[in-house]
Amino acid sequence: MSHRRNFLKQALAAGVGAAHTLYAPATLAGERASAGRAHGIGSAIRRDDTIRLSDSLGDGYHMTWTAADRQAVAVNDGTGWADPPAAFYNTRLWTVEGPAPGTSFGDMRGYPELDRAARSEGAPSYYGFGLLSVRGRLYQFLSTLDDAKDRPRHWTGAKLIHSEDGGRTWRNQDGSLPVVWEDWGEQNRDRFVFFGEPDGCFSLLSVLQMGQDYSANRDGHVYVYSPNGNRDGLMNQLVMARVRVEHILDRRAYEFFGGHLAGGGARWVKDIADRVPVHVFPEGWVNHTNLFPGDLVLESWLPSVVYNAALDLYMMASAGIGCAPDGTEFGKPSYLGLWVSSAPWGPWRQVYEETAWMPGGDAAARAYGPQIAPKWVAPDGMSFWLVWADLNGIREFAKDEDRLAAALEKADGPRARAGIEANFLHRYMPGFSFNAQRVDLILT
């Protein structure tokens, strides 16, 4: 039982036929102030005929375009593309080669081990989210949770690790080696870039992607986005921070979005208490209880933001969790939205909405965690590839917890355990993988 429950704590932390609405050009005065090509995009179309499924296992799939002209991708709660599975990881980095939807996938072997079987029962979990390649270096924000037993667990902080040699070796935020996965009593603001912030904001981070190795950036800042908390009414609020590239490892150098200026610029503040939302997503798409006691609040409304250089606009994809009437997760299809802006801080104008996100027209789909692949934006900017995982089958899988626990108890070693978990997941959730499809942008 404990093995199955532990998996769900982690695995959940981690169309043509669908109902959707295409938005007309914005008319609000505040949005008119935003200049640029963003106003030329009137809608978007998901091309279900382009859907491709890979043989990976896991979710998350935050990506960055590296100096070596490949994409690095974080895979949470799975075995990635390993065949046969070598371990079941909380998170691991892989590389993706070739044009969409990828021609080869490789394990980033220098990445620090987060094999779940090698960690003690009840140890803190770390999940790879915000990822960035810039000036030949790799940076990754890893999110962690509290240990609540009487309510869904909340996101509490983000650990920052980095590599100066393309992923062969990794360091802690302070530059020390090797990477340390802090235990409960070691988690604090001295070790983490964000920890114990108001309402748990800046615990789940996405990083703006701007071309290969961040080469399209001109102002020298890294931009990060986060839900504003762990409950509906806060998690649907998007907050934002920026930091100079050369100071990304220094928490004191971060500034927070404090509001839009009349001319289309942004006000930046040093005190996190003075932050204001840069965007607000719809309410009603955050779970408030769980399929299993002790599970977590999912990363609803964690966006993917990518700069479209050909059109000189910023694209954002984000999703909310479709909850059952009792507030548990994945009781109905998710919400998917796409937005565009002329600046990293918005204002964001919605060009696409699905209140029942069903790739391939599959009403049973439980699509999750949409990511815009930063390398897979068309040269003319008029299409891009969206990546996601599908957790269809998770509620049925939950009913067979005892079967998995019994099988794991008989396993001979970590490799055998990883194979058993992978087989169970593939059987119940065949879409729990790196799924990709093309999205076309439509001009007004």
Side-chain angles (χ1 to χ4, degrees):
M1 179 76 72
S2 63
H3 292 302
R4 178 70 206 106
R5 183 160 298 152
N6 188 45
F7 165 74
L8 281 176
K9 290 176 185 178
Q10 298 168 347
L12 296 180
V16 171
H20 63 271
T21 302
L22 301 182
Y23 280 75
T27 58
L28 297 178
E31 291 180 338
R32 284 199 205 98
S34 180
R37 295 291 299 278
H39 287 291
I41 302 301
S43 60
I45 298 175
R46 288 193 303 101
R47 297 295 187 188
D48 278 353
D49 59 331
T50 67
I51 289 177
R52 300 292 184 271
L53 311 182
S54 81
D55 56 0
S56 67
L57 184 70
D59 65 10
Y61 301 120
H62 282 242
M63 286 172 278
T64 194
W65 187 358
T66 71
D69 198 26
R70 59 175 62 98
Q71 290 182 113
V73 56
V75 181
N76 292 335
D77 289 318
T79 57
W81 285 267
D83 184 20
F88 202 97
Y89 297 105
N90 282 152
T91 194
R92 189 148 185 93
L93 277 190
W94 293 75
T95 59
V96 182
E97 303 273 4
T103 55
S104 63
F105 303 84
D107 183 14
M108 191 173 287
R109 298 188 182 278
Y111 191 78
E113 289 288 320
L114 261 175
D115 179 355
R116 210 178 62 218
R119 294 176 58 76
S120 61
E121 183 77 17
S125 299
Y126 294 88
Y127 299 96
F129 290 108
L131 181 65
L132 182 66
S133 174
V134 55
R135 299 180 184 175
R137 295 188 172 103
L138 286 170
Y139 298 89
Q140 186 183 37
F141 296 95
L142 296 111
S143 298
T144 191
L145 296 148
D146 65 17
D147 196 29
K149 300 293 193 299
D150 58 344
R151 57 159 173 77
R153 298 170 69 197
H154 288 174
W155 298 98
T156 58
K159 176 182 174 67
L160 178 58
I161 63 174
H162 64 287
S163 172
E164 299 179 0
D165 56 12
R168 290 185 293 275
T169 57
W170 289 82
R171 300 173 180 269
N172 297 294
Q173 184 175 332
D174 63 4
S176 60
L177 292 165
V179 167
V180 175
W181 304 118
E182 286 84 358
D183 211 335
W184 296 110
E186 300 170 329
Q187 294 182 339
N188 56 57
R189 292 187 179 183
D190 291 332
R191 293 173 179 248
F192 289 5
V193 66
F194 294 107
F195 186 76
E197 308 296 349
D199 297 311
C201 67
F202 292 98
S203 296
L204 283 169
L205 299 182
S206 297
V207 183
L208 170 64
Q209 304 297 315
M210 296 191 71
Q212 183 179 354
D213 201 39
Y214 209 55
S215 58
N217 177 263
R218 294 293 179 264
D219 69 3
H221 285 95
V222 172
Y223 294 92
V224 297
Y225 305 84
S226 169
N228 200 23
N230 282 280
R231 61 172 177 80
D232 207 12
L234 287 176
M235 201 167 216
N236 61 303
Q237 296 178 357
L238 184 65
V239 290
M240 182 180 182
R242 73 173 187 177
V243 65
R244 298 285 304 179
V245 171
E246 60 269 24
H247 298 311
I248 191 171
L249 298 172
D250 182 1
R251 169 64 172 81
R252 298 166 299 177
Y254 283 70
E255 300 176 308
F256 304 93
F257 178 80
H260 291 106
L261 299 176
R267 175 174 174 258
W268 299 98
V269 298
K270 293 296 293 183
D271 191 340
I272 197 171
D274 294 330
R275 74 197 184 282
V276 301
V278 70
H279 185 74
V280 178
F281 300 108
E283 291 193 40
W285 299 89
V286 178
N287 65 301
H288 60 80
T289 188
N290 295 96
L291 289 170
F292 290 87
D295 286 341
L296 60 143
V297 175
L298 302 186
E299 60 265 20
S300 195
W301 300 122
L302 181 63
S304 170
V305 186
V306 171
Y307 177 63
N308 185 326
L311 300 183
D312 189 25
L313 64 84
Y314 297 83
M315 307 181 298
M316 176 169 69
S318 197
I321 303 303
C323 299
D326 63 359
T328 56
E329 61 272 27
F330 301 114
K332 63 179 181 179
S334 305
Y335 177 110
L336 173 67
L338 300 174
W339 294 260
V340 295
S341 173
S342 295
W345 49 85
W348 292 97
R349 180 171 60 85
Q350 191 164 19
V351 296
Y352 186 83
E353 177 185 64
E354 282 186 83
T355 57
W357 178 18
M358 298 186 292
D362 182 5
R366 298 296 183 263
Y368 181 55
Q371 297 293 312
I372 300 172
K375 185 179 178 182
W376 295 341
V377 179
D380 65 359
M382 294 306 300
S383 67
F384 62 87
W385 282 74
L386 191 72
V387 173
W388 75 96
D390 191 339
L391 275 75
N392 176 22
I394 186 64
R395 296 176 77 91
E396 291 74 17
F397 189 21
K399 298 173 184 177
D400 285 344
E401 175 185 20
D402 292 340
R403 291 182 59 195
L404 175 60
L408 290 174
E409 287 178 0
K410 299 176 182 178
D412 183 17
R415 186 178 292 268
R417 293 175 60 84
I420 290 170
E421 286 192 299
N423 287 336
F424 265 76
L425 281 171
H426 279 304
R427 187 185 317 160
Y428 284 85
M429 296 191 297
F432 190 58
S433 62
F434 186 92
N435 309 313
Q437 76 172 155
R438 198 182 81 215
V439 176
D440 292 347
L441 300 175
I442 308 301
L443 293 172
T444 55

